[in-house]
Each structure stands twice: as structure tokens, then as C-alpha cells.
Amino acid sequence: LQVEELAELHARFRLADNDQDGAVIEGEFLSLLPDNVALLICGKVRTLLSDAQIQTGQLLSFDDVFDVLSLCRTTSNFTNFEVAELKEAFRTFDADNSGKIDVLEMVGMLLYMGF
């Protein structure tokens, strides 16, 4: 995360931490995020938290929130399952096992995946 993003996230975290104990509940997680990010991951919050080894119902520290957002940045908001599914589809459509696919193979892959 960039310095400006980190400062904004920390400010949002302090606002959401009503009792000032250094932790927020899972349900407040989306309120910490910029609107455009929250919209992208709202249906995947529990899975993303799980992917970051955070237990459902656990209080989230600032470091936990940072870890989840870093994971989202690394995976372009894909869950671990979605990344694995994408890799498997890529391998399926990489007919010559070159590690690359051409445009027609990519179109086939996207259709196969329901896009």
C-alpha cells in the first residue's frame, strides 16, 4: 500500500474503533475501505479474511486489515480459490504448454469460465 493509502486506512480504522481497543469487528471491515474497493469485495469478505488466516468472528487489528488489503492488492481482489481456478483454466487452454496463450485461446478460456 502507498503511504497516502496507509494513512487514510489508519484514519478510517481509528474512526471505526469506537472503544479504542485497537480492534474492530468483522462487520466493520467494509467501512474501513474506500467505496470502490468495498464494492468489489463486499460478497467475498469472509473468504478474503479466511484466505488471510483470520477467523470468522475474530476482532481485527490494524495489522489484520493491512494484511487483507495487501492480499487483495496481490491477487487483484481474487480469492485463493478464484486464483487456483484461473490457473487451472489457463493450463487447460495452454495447448502447447508454453506458458503463454494466444488471443483465440484466451477467448476460449474466458468463455469456458463464463465471462
Side-chain angles (χ1 to χ4, degrees):
L1 296 171
Q2 300 295 323
V3 173
E4 308 85 42
E5 293 171 312
L6 193 56
E8 180 183 344
L9 177 62
H10 198 265
R12 286 175 179 252
F13 185 88
R14 282 194 316 267
L15 285 174
D17 184 12
N18 293 325
D19 59 3
Q20 303 299 309
D21 67 350
V24 295
I25 60 173
E26 180 182 312
E28 295 169 323
F29 177 72
L30 285 177
S31 70
L32 302 175
L33 308 177
D35 292 339
N36 59 333
V37 175
L39 182 62
L40 288 173
I41 68 168
C42 65
K44 304 183 202 184
V45 170
R46 287 202 173 187
T47 303
L48 291 167
L49 292 173
S50 174
D51 287 352
Q53 278 90 48
I54 296 171
Q55 301 296 318
T56 301
Q58 173 183 330
L59 289 174
L60 304 173
S61 68
F62 181 78
D63 290 340
D64 293 331
V65 173
F66 179 83
D67 290 346
V68 172
L69 292 181
S70 294
L71 179 64
C72 289
R73 174 78 42 92
T74 302
T75 63
S76 298
N77 298 325
F78 288 107
T79 64
N80 289 345
F81 176 79
E82 291 167 332
V83 170
E85 186 177 49
L86 184 58
K87 285 180 180 179
E88 181 60 33
F90 183 89
R91 281 192 290 274
T92 300
F93 283 87
D94 180 15
D96 62 358
N97 293 319
S98 66
K100 297 180 180 181
I101 58 176
D102 64 30
V103 173
L104 291 178
E105 290 170 324
M106 187 176 86
V107 169
M109 183 183 85
L110 292 173
L111 289 173
Y112 171 79
M113 294 181 73
F115 289 98

